[in-house]
Amino acid sequence: MGVKSRTARPRATRIAGLGAVAAGLLALLSGCSLEDVGGAFGHFGWPGPGVSLQAHKMYDLWIASVIAALVVGIFVWGLIFWCIIRYRKRGDELPVQTRFNMPMEVLYTVTPVLIVAVLFYYTAIVQTDVDKLSRNPDQVVEVVAFKWNWQFNYRDGVGKDAGTVTSTLGSDDQIPLLVLPTDRTIRFEETSPDVIHSFWVPELLFKRDVFPGNVRNQFEVTLDKEGRYVGHCAELCGTYHAFMNFEMVVVSPQRFDQFLQAKKDGADTAAAMQAIGFAGDERYAVTTKPFDTRRHGQSWNQSGQTQITAGK
Ligand SMILES: [Cu+2]
């Protein structure tokens, strides 16, 4: 019996270890991209692989981390169930009491440290990449978030002293459009005249706070997928915070240039959208619509009851 358990133990550990490694290698060697793996599992909670080069890097990091966590998880679950079955109580005899097994102690101290170090290394690399600012971005957009809407200023240079070429602005009854090109480096510079807001487009897999005062938060994206995506304010900024939606419209660089030109020539946003081929309702936001804030009539949570009186 004693001889049997001494040989059985390393063999079982080896099989479990090989199983975990094989599971990891299988995903890599089967030619599946991380996007394929993520897609098969609902992107493990994320809204998809994203629409910018920066988003793809974050997505890959996320999916790879989840796969690594699952491999470790399957290995640990395997060990637990193997121990439960292999060492279940068979009689009243006290099992061998093993304490201070040095190799084991070293293993379960070093392994988690290694895992954290690897995760940290790749996180630091992706984070640095996502935060990187280029010397001369192709397009600069000043994001102005205010209670409770957005203005997007297309700028002729970087920094707060640059000039605004043209703007799109949201109102109570019109969702603001943020029209942007693919394949160009876009720098966002954020500012707010009142409180802290947060610029968030879920498909960018990214959000960044918009501060009032002297802080101009910046970040860059290079978009690679045309489409229309709803954006939100992700920082609780006041009564109508939840209604602060905008729409990011991603078009080809040529159409973007036409849009800017139409705006510069004095067209309003809907007319400029028409100039680049959007007709009818497509000239306005299609992913979201203005909310009925009822802010001038009655309290929005008591239908038809309370009247807000002027000066209150
Ligand atoms: Cu806000």
Side-chain angles (χ1 to χ4, degrees):
M1 181 70 185
V3 175
K4 193 183 165 199
S5 23
R6 264 201 299 278
T7 53
R9 225 170 291 170
R11 197 190 308 138
T13 314
R14 237 179 290 138
I15 290 169
L18 282 174
V21 173
L25 284 177
L26 203 66
L28 294 174
L29 297 178
S30 60
C32 290
S33 69
L34 288 169
E35 200 176 316
D36 293 335
V37 177
F41 293 95
H43 307 290
F44 293 119
W46 275 21
V51 297
S52 70
L53 303 185
Q54 289 79 359
H56 300 324
K57 286 175 183 161
M58 290 183 275
Y59 179 83
D60 287 351
L61 173 68
W62 169 241
I63 299 296
S65 303
V66 174
I67 291 174
L70 282 174
V71 169
V72 173
I74 289 167
F75 177 63
V76 172
W77 293 326
L79 280 180
I80 290 171
F81 284 112
W82 174 70
C83 287
I84 290 172
I85 295 161
R86 174 71 182 77
Y87 296 106
R88 67 189 184 280
K89 188 175 179 183
R90 291 194 175 85
D92 289 334
E93 195 187 333
L94 196 65
V96 181
Q97 302 295 299
T98 308
R99 267 172 290 178
F100 310 117
N101 183 318
M102 254 339 248
M104 204 68 120
E105 305 255 348
V106 170
L107 185 75
Y108 65 61
T109 306
V110 170
T111 311
V113 171
L114 277 179
I115 292 172
V116 170
V118 170
L119 288 177
F120 184 85
Y121 173 77
Y122 284 109
T123 304
I125 287 191
V126 171
Q127 181 179 292
T128 307
D129 217 68
V130 167
D131 265 338
K132 203 161 55 189
L133 297 178
S134 57
R135 232 171 222 286
N136 290 306
D138 299 322
Q139 180 63 54
V140 180
V141 178
E142 185 182 53
V143 174
V144 186
F146 57 93
K147 293 194 286 188
W148 280 274
N149 224 311
W150 303 85
Q151 178 170 335
F152 302 108
N153 297 329
Y154 296 87
R155 309 277 278 177
D156 58 9
V158 295
K160 66 177 183 339
D161 297 328
T164 293
V165 178
T166 184
S167 303
T168 58
L169 171 66
S171 65
D172 281 1
D173 50 14
Q174 199 156 316
I175 294 286
L177 297 183
L178 169 59
V179 181
L180 294 172
T182 53
D183 304 323
R184 285 190 188 165
T185 329
I186 300 153
R187 163 93 53 99
F188 292 97
E189 298 182 359
E190 302 177 327
T191 180
S192 162
D194 39 50
V195 297
I196 302 174
H197 303 266
S198 181
F199 175 96
W200 180 39
V201 178
E203 281 79 6
L204 292 180
L205 307 181
F206 184 89
K207 58 185 163 197
R208 180 149 287 169
D209 279 5
V210 186
F211 289 127
N214 292 325
V215 181
R216 280 171 82 85
N217 271 348
Q218 305 181 84
F219 65 97
E220 286 185 11
V221 298
T222 304
L223 300 160
D224 69 347
K225 194 158 183 278
E226 291 184 29
R228 308 180 71 151
Y229 312 97
V230 60
H232 309 274
C233 176
E235 179 74 44
L236 182 57
C237 57
T239 314
Y240 299 105
H241 153 74
F243 303 166
M244 268 184 75
N245 281 5
F246 61 94
E247 182 174 281
M248 184 173 83
V249 183
V250 184
V251 295
S252 68
Q254 294 74 27
R255 286 171 88 198
F256 174 73
D257 290 340
Q258 288 165 8
F259 174 84
L260 265 199
Q261 195 54 53
K263 287 284 292 177
K264 277 190 234 171
D265 293 344
D268 65 12
T269 303
M273 285 288 280
Q274 187 152 23
I276 58 170
F278 291 106
D281 287 347
E282 287 187 331
R283 293 173 299 156
Y284 306 97
V286 295
T287 57
T288 179
K289 55 182 191 317
F291 294 88
D292 176 15
T293 60
R294 285 181 256 165
R295 61 182 84 166
H296 303 301
Q298 65 240 16
S299 164
W300 56 279
N301 55 3
Q302 290 175 312
S303 57
Q305 294 299 313
T306 314
Q307 292 290 323
I308 297 173
T309 38
K312 281 203 172 174

